[in-house]
Amino acid sequence: MLVVLVLGLASMWTDVLWYSQLGFTEVFRTRLLTEALLFVVAGLLTAGAVFASMLLAFRSRPVYAPVALDQASLERYRETIEPLRKLVVIALPTALGLFAGSAASQRWPRAL
């Protein structure tokens, strides 16, 4: 993790020095701002859509009262999984939002 961070910072510092040497620091700032804006917008839109879909699916799920032995075991299974639901509802949209934001930020030339 630390190696990836150091490599990323070294690459960014090299770009800063190169753009500054050429006198194009404003171009570099515009590129970084565009990448960040695309990352945030795409990430939030994707995470919001996934979260809303999961919330809608959870609220519209059928709720069955256990009337048979098979359904009683299913109810025990649901009770066991219930604490993990909150973690999944937060982690999945966040992860997909990060992936979508990363993909969108790479499209900065097209956006500009």
Side-chain angles (χ1 to χ4, degrees):
M1 177 74 175
L2 184 60
V3 172
V4 172
L5 181 65
V6 168
L7 289 174
L9 288 175
S11 174
M12 181 172 282
W13 184 246
T14 304
D15 285 346
V16 166
L17 291 175
W18 186 69
Y19 277 98
S20 133
Q21 179 69 30
L22 295 175
F24 289 123
T25 50
E26 186 64 33
V27 173
F28 185 65
R29 262 190 251 131
T30 302
R31 174 187 162 193
L32 284 180
L33 182 63
T34 303
E35 285 182 23
L37 187 63
L38 287 172
F39 181 86
V40 169
V41 169
L44 287 177
L45 284 174
T46 302
V50 171
F51 178 77
S53 297
M54 291 177 77
L55 192 63
L56 181 65
F58 179 75
R59 288 186 179 172
S60 63
R61 77 190 188 288
V63 180
Y64 298 107
V67 292
L69 184 61
D70 293 338
Q71 288 180 348
S73 64
L74 180 62
E75 189 61 32
R76 272 188 267 121
Y77 177 72
R78 285 183 184 166
E79 289 173 3
T80 303
I81 291 183
E82 182 62 27
L84 295 175
R85 180 182 59 86
K86 291 179 184 177
L87 176 67
V88 169
V89 167
I90 292 171
L92 187 63
T94 302
L96 291 175
L98 289 173
F99 287 137
S102 178
S105 71
Q106 299 303 312
R107 305 294 289 176
W108 67 268
R110 185 174 196 122
L112 289 177

